[in-house]
Amino acid sequence: MYSIGQFAKKTGLTVRALRFYSEKGLLEPCFISDAGHRYYNDASIETIQKIVTLKYLDYSLEEIEEVLRNEEQQLIESLRFQKLQLEKKRNQIDRVIASLDQAIEIGKRSEVIDTTIFLSVIFNLLKEDEQMDYLKSIVPDELVERIYDFYGMNIIESNQKYIDLANRLKQAYIQPIQDENLKSLIEQLFSLIPQDMVVELAEVLKDYNDIQFDEWLFPTPFTKEEEEWLMSQVERFGVYGGVDDE
Amino acid sequence: MYSIGQFAKKTGLTVRALRFYSEKGLLEPCFISDAGHRYYNDASIETIQKIVTLKYLDYSLEEIEEVLRNEEQQLIESLRFQKLQLEKKRNQIDRVIASLDQAIEIGKRSEVIDTTIFLSVIFNLLKEDEQMDYLKSIVPDELVERIYDFYGMNIIESNQKYIDLANRLKQAYIQPIQDENLKSLIEQLFSLIPQDMVVELAEVLKDYNDIQFDEWLFPTPFTKEEEEWLMSQVERFGVYGGVDDE
DNA sequence: ATAATATCTACCGTTACGTCAGATGCAACT
DNA sequence: AGTTGCATCTGACGTAACGGTAGATATTAT
């Protein structure tokens, strides 16, 4: 017979955890003294080995209780199910890591450090699919796919350029620069998408006058004021008649 | 200005979540009416996009708050750290999946369904490293490594055979079988490790009389009674003089 | 007998909200 | 103006698996 402390040492679990299992009925001590002290024996070891094993396999305590009660044989089925769950988790983590990789790569190449710009770029990476669906409800599917294909192939460079341009434009709003420089920046902004696609896009959007892209789905790093200023400059320089969104 | 419900729809978050962020000071509404109703504007959208982005990247709300406060530039460093954390998580999941694979493979090949036997086998798989360390404190390192090398190369088959044998032996305890059959089972049990290693092991262990292996680290699917009975039979048949542990 | 250590039973805290209950508020319709 | 119906509020409890503490009692060692 072991006291709870001895048992904890032997199994590597904490006293608190053992008490918790005792409360939950997952592992009842073989004997409880009048003073309420818990004592365990070798049979307890067998049970707790099962518990530790299943915990390692990422079973919840509730699931473990079920396995311990059901001496039935769907254990292997249950293991298969468990594996599926873990694979889902892993795939999700892989997706997030991939996003982080892209973000880090983009960040490495820009000297810029503006959190707002940077996070809006990452947000766009994440919401790409939703953005496409949304755009397809307005613009012909084929055009949307063409644009995103192009974008996808230059995703790192596009975003790096975009970040730098956005940063300079925000600067230019605070501290005005020469017209020709400003015009050049705006032209570079539009050149992120090939000219023919921009023209085509402008063509389609002409039908909807004054269309507003969903400001949730298409974040820009610009404030409302900056954005209005930017649009006015675009019109002033007459670049492609006013198409703006990335 | 959006009411909390409208804002929730726009952003895809729940009303409760928005209220929670409001409480935590993570995203304060731009305006709160006398009645206490929360209203949001486009500036709120910018903030919540950051929050959503960082949440996707597996930041905790506390970490997000830090990033939002610190307009400092360690964001990319922070992303790298975040990636490291996720890679650790993923590696752990990978290890567990590998264990599950082994377990499923072993389970598939045995017709046996005894949970106790099966889980003790998996536990042994998990604790292999600790077991080796423990054994090395008693038996020469080189012998331990030789045994585990052999075991590791036949891990699936060894365990499958072990499960079947353990199952039959447990049966034989309940319902006695012919001596020659029992002897055969016991011999098969010992043949799981090559004869020469068993002999060598017995040689070393002869010095310690009546050694007890840590019953936590080396679980057997047998009860104390079954185990004693098994040992007595081993001695009766004179198989290798009484070495038992797997 | 006394001191030191172990154990007990509570109860609160953690994360990021979900889920009520009961009280108001607001917009629309009669 | 009154009523209906929906939106929103605060406040509280629940989640999973314990960790940490306090104050009381038990066991063990000296």
Side-chain angles (χ1 to χ4, degrees):
Chain A
M1 295 239 296
Y2 312 95
S3 74
I4 196 169
Q6 295 167 330
F7 198 66
K9 249 181 212 159
K10 203 168 189 59
T11 60
L13 294 167
T14 65
V15 170
R16 189 68 184 77
L18 289 172
R19 231 148 19 204
F20 184 69
Y21 296 160
S22 168
E23 275 175 38
K24 291 270 159 183
L26 201 63
L27 171 65
E28 319 251 20
C30 67
F31 168 67
I32 298 186
S33 76
D34 292 346
H37 288 204
R38 298 171 174 80
Y39 293 93
Y40 298 85
N41 62 10
D42 287 324
S44 318
I45 290 193
E46 198 180 301
T47 305
I48 209 162
Q49 271 159 350
K50 292 183 187 175
I51 294 175
V52 169
T53 304
L54 292 167
K55 246 167 63 77
Y56 178 83
L57 298 178
D58 215 44
Y59 280 64
S60 71
L61 294 192
E62 200 182 343
E63 292 165 329
I64 292 175
E65 218 181 335
E66 238 176 89
V67 174
L68 292 186
R69 268 204 317 269
N70 279 6
E71 294 293 359
E72 304 178 45
Q73 221 40 47
Q74 70 278 64
L75 180 57
I76 293 184
E77 255 327 295
S78 156
L79 292 176
R80 285 213 181 86
F81 179 74
Q82 198 63 13
K83 188 187 163 189
L84 268 179
Q85 300 306 107
L86 284 174
E87 278 172 342
K88 277 185 201 165
K89 261 197 203 176
R90 187 182 55 185
N91 292 340
Q92 175 57 19
I93 290 182
D94 279 341
R95 273 195 293 275
V96 176
I97 289 181
S99 302
L100 278 168
D101 274 336
Q102 281 191 332
I104 291 169
E105 188 59 30
I106 292 170
K108 240 175 20 190
R109 303 205 193 176
S110 322
E111 315 95 38
V112 179
I113 347 173
D114 184 316
T115 313
T116 299
I117 298 181
F118 193 59
L119 287 178
S120 80
V121 167
I122 302 175
F123 186 89
N124 280 320
L125 292 177
L126 304 183
K127 294 288 181 179
E128 210 169 285
D129 291 346
E130 284 177 52
Q131 286 178 351
M132 283 183 71
D133 289 345
Y134 175 81
L135 282 180
K136 281 178 179 172
S137 71
I138 300 175
V139 176
D141 290 13
E142 183 269 341
L143 178 56
V144 174
E145 267 161 30
R146 217 149 18 102
I147 293 174
Y148 270 88
D149 274 357
F150 175 81
Y151 167 68
M153 287 181 359
N154 311 56
I155 202 157
I156 305 284
E157 296 76 12
S158 295
N159 279 303
Q160 185 226 319
K161 279 187 201 160
Y162 178 69
I163 287 178
D164 286 344
L165 287 171
N167 206 42
R168 289 205 220 161
L169 284 167
K170 276 167 97 72
Q171 287 289 330
Y173 176 73
I174 299 167
Q175 200 164 27
I177 59 174
Q178 287 188 0
D179 267 8
E180 49 190 309
N181 288 337
L182 183 55
K183 189 178 177 190
S184 160
L185 288 181
I186 291 176
E187 278 170 353
Q188 284 179 57
L189 191 61
F190 280 101
S191 74
L192 287 176
I193 295 177
Q195 203 176 13
D196 57 328
M197 297 190 198
V198 175
V199 171
E200 213 171 322
L201 198 58
E203 199 70 28
V204 175
L205 292 179
K206 220 168 257 169
D207 298 347
Y208 306 71
N209 53 342
D210 203 24
I211 191 164
Q212 287 272 13
F213 283 102
D214 185 333
E215 66 272 19
W216 161 250
L217 211 48
F218 295 94
T220 76
F222 303 107
T223 64
K224 284 278 159 197
E225 296 82 35
E226 288 170 340
E227 221 167 303
E228 271 172 33
W229 166 79
L230 192 55
M231 293 296 273
S232 74
Q233 299 305 310
V234 169
E235 279 187 34
R236 190 157 72 85
F237 293 122
V239 194
Y240 299 119
V243 182
D244 180 29
D245 271 284
E246 194 191 349
Chain B
M1 297 240 296
Y2 311 96
S3 74
I4 195 169
Q6 294 167 329
F7 198 65
K9 248 181 213 159
K10 205 167 189 60
T11 60
L13 295 167
T14 66
V15 171
R16 186 62 181 87
L18 290 172
R19 236 151 11 206
F20 185 69
Y21 296 160
S22 167
E23 274 174 39
K24 290 272 158 181
L26 201 62
L27 171 66
E28 319 251 21
C30 69
F31 168 66
I32 297 187
S33 76
D34 293 345
H37 287 204
R38 296 171 176 79
Y39 293 93
Y40 298 85
N41 62 10
D42 287 324
S44 317
I45 290 192
E46 198 180 303
T47 305
I48 210 161
Q49 272 159 349
K50 292 183 187 174
I51 295 174
V52 168
T53 303
L54 292 167
K55 245 169 63 77
Y56 178 84
L57 298 179
D58 214 44
Y59 280 65
S60 72
L61 293 191
E62 200 181 342
E63 291 165 328
I64 292 176
E65 217 181 336
E66 235 176 275
V67 173
L68 293 186
R69 268 203 318 268
N70 278 8
E71 295 293 1
E72 304 178 45
Q73 222 41 47
Q74 71 278 63
L75 181 56
I76 293 184
E77 255 328 294
S78 156
L79 291 176
R80 285 212 180 87
F81 179 75
Q82 197 64 13
K83 188 186 163 191
L84 267 179
Q85 299 305 109
L86 284 174
E87 277 172 343
K88 277 185 200 165
K89 262 198 202 175
R90 188 182 54 184
N91 292 339
Q92 175 57 18
I93 290 181
D94 280 341
R95 274 194 294 274
V96 176
I97 288 181
S99 302
L100 278 168
D101 274 337
Q102 281 192 332
I104 290 168
E105 188 58 31
I106 292 170
K108 242 181 9 197
R109 304 206 192 174
S110 321
E111 315 97 36
V112 179
I113 348 173
D114 185 315
T115 311
T116 299
I117 299 181
F118 193 61
L119 286 177
S120 81
V121 168
I122 302 176
F123 185 89
N124 280 321
L125 292 177
L126 303 183
K127 295 287 181 177
E128 211 168 286
D129 291 346
E130 284 176 53
Q131 287 178 352
M132 285 184 70
D133 288 346
Y134 175 80
L135 282 181
K136 282 179 179 172
S137 72
I138 300 174
V139 176
D141 290 14
E142 183 268 338
L143 178 57
V144 174
E145 266 161 31
R146 212 143 28 93
I147 292 175
Y148 269 89
D149 275 356
F150 175 81
Y151 167 70
M153 284 181 2
N154 310 54
I155 201 157
I156 304 285
E157 295 77 11
S158 296
N159 280 303
Q160 185 226 318
K161 279 187 203 161
Y162 177 68
I163 287 179
D164 286 344
L165 287 171
N167 206 43
R168 289 204 219 161
L169 285 166
K170 275 167 99 68
Q171 286 290 327
Y173 177 72
I174 299 169
Q175 199 163 26
I177 58 175
Q178 289 189 356
D179 267 9
E180 48 188 309
N181 289 336
L182 182 56
K183 189 178 177 192
S184 160
L185 288 181
I186 291 176
E187 279 170 354
Q188 284 179 56
L189 191 60
F190 280 102
S191 74
L192 286 176
I193 294 177
Q195 206 176 9
D196 57 325
M197 297 190 198
V198 176
V199 171
E200 212 169 326
L201 200 57
E203 200 69 28
V204 175
L205 292 179
K206 221 168 258 169
D207 298 346
Y208 306 72
N209 53 342
D210 202 26
I211 189 162
Q212 287 273 11
F213 282 103
D214 184 333
E215 66 273 20
W216 161 249
L217 212 46
F218 295 93
T220 76
F222 303 107
T223 64
K224 282 281 160 197
E225 296 83 35
E226 289 169 341
E227 221 167 304
E228 273 172 32
W229 167 79
L230 192 55
M231 292 296 272
S232 72
Q233 299 305 310
V234 168
E235 277 186 37
R236 190 156 71 87
F237 294 122
V239 193
Y240 300 118
V243 183
D244 180 29
D245 270 284
E246 194 194 351

